[in-house]
Amino acid sequence: MLIILVMVYVTLCEGCVRNGSCCWCPPGFRVGEQATCEDSQCTPCKSDEYMTSYNRLSRCMLQPYCDPNVNFATPEHSPIRKTICRCKEGFYCSDEHVCLTCVSHSSCAEGFFLGFSGNHTHDARCDPIPDRLGFSNPFLLLCGIPIVAAIVVMLVIFTKKVRIEYPDVSSMIVFPKPSLRHTQEIYITPSVTE
Ligand SMILES: *[C@@H]1O[C@H](CO)[C@@H](O)[C@H](O)[C@H]1NC(C)=O
Ligand SMILES: *[C@@H]1O[C@H](CO)[C@@H](O)[C@H](O)[C@H]1NC(C)=O
């Protein structure tokens, strides 16, 4: 109900908005020093000030100071928005929640490369340079796995084939506990016939 009443009373007047009996200044403006209820003398905020809403205030809000001594970039202020200080190029916020100071992005040590160059809120990320010959290279490992698997599969197939072709050999191994000499003879026999 109150909102509807306010809406009804809000009507445009010169450079301001009538709200109730008084004229309110728009965002980016404040009322002048000699302002009256009817004549607000809306005055723009200074370059380091802002005002986000319609108002009847005689002073604009002061923008936050982005201190270059703690590596903040020189901001471009908007008179209708509060500025959020941002770190200058190559720096990031020391704290994720409240940015009070900016610290330099890490530079990568020898043996590391820049995986992520960093931004205003996050540090750069250094990744180890892959060792081309070593097993630390994940791609080499990935290539190696199928090759090893293929060799294993071939060995299994080959072993199975031998057993199927000479079933009498396996039955001879299982039954009497054969002497070492005896077993050797059994194994040699199929390869000779082959
Ligand atoms: C009108 O004035 C009321 C208080 O008197 C305030 O709450 C409201 O935000 C104002 N509306 C505008 C559009 O400025
Ligand atoms: C900064 O980088 C982080 C990590 O990659 C990412 O989550 C975040 O969205 C980035 N922020 C901006 C403003 O680009």
Side-chain angles (χ1 to χ4, degrees):
M1 189 65 189
L2 185 76
I3 294 166
I4 295 166
L5 274 175
V6 166
M7 295 286 270
V8 169
Y9 275 106
V10 173
T11 48
L12 273 170
C13 60
E14 235 182 322
C16 62
V17 164
R18 184 170 291 281
N19 186 359
S21 54
C22 288
C23 240
W24 287 49
C25 291
F29 291 83
R30 60 174 177 86
V31 298
E33 275 79 21
Q34 269 86 50
T36 62
C37 192
E38 281 295 313
D39 181 13
S40 296
Q41 298 179 345
C42 292
T43 310
C45 297
K46 291 187 197 140
S47 60
D48 60 343
E49 295 175 339
Y50 70 100
M51 198 68 99
T52 56
S53 57
Y54 281 93
N55 67 91
R56 278 205 57 82
L57 299 173
S58 53
R59 293 185 80 105
C60 294
M61 316 292 267
L62 196 66
Q63 291 281 18
Y65 175 59
C66 305
D67 191 352
N69 294 314
V70 290
N71 304 307
F72 281 110
T74 308
E76 275 182 41
H77 293 307
S78 160
I80 61 166
R81 268 193 303 274
K82 184 182 178 181
T83 295
I84 298 165
C85 291
R86 282 166 72 90
C87 297
K88 65 181 182 185
E89 230 19 74
F91 290 78
Y92 72 103
C93 290
S94 56
D95 187 293
E96 223 175 281
H97 305 290
V98 194
C99 198
L100 297 175
T101 60
C102 300
V103 290
S104 179
H105 285 149
S106 304
S107 50
C108 296
E110 209 176 305
F112 290 83
F113 73 98
L114 197 62
F116 169 63
S117 58
N119 58 26
H120 295 285
T121 52
H122 285 73
D123 192 9
R125 196 190 65 237
C126 297
D127 295 330
I129 293 170
D131 181 2
R132 265 186 225 161
L133 299 171
F135 284 106
S136 57
N137 188 339
F139 294 106
L140 206 70
L141 266 181
L142 280 178
C143 287
I145 287 166
I147 291 170
V148 170
I151 291 169
V152 168
V153 167
M154 277 166 70
L155 276 176
V156 166
I157 290 169
F158 180 74
T159 319
K160 265 195 172 171
K161 250 189 183 169
V162 169
R163 271 195 199 150
I164 291 161
E165 280 175 26
Y166 309 102
D168 52 319
V169 172
S170 50
S171 59
M172 281 171 85
I173 294 166
V174 174
F175 283 123
K177 275 188 185 171
S179 69
L180 190 66
R181 226 189 127 173
H182 188 70
T183 317
Q184 276 176 335
E185 279 171 15
I186 292 160
Y187 270 110
I188 289 162
T189 317
S191 55
V192 170
T193 48
E194 210 174 54

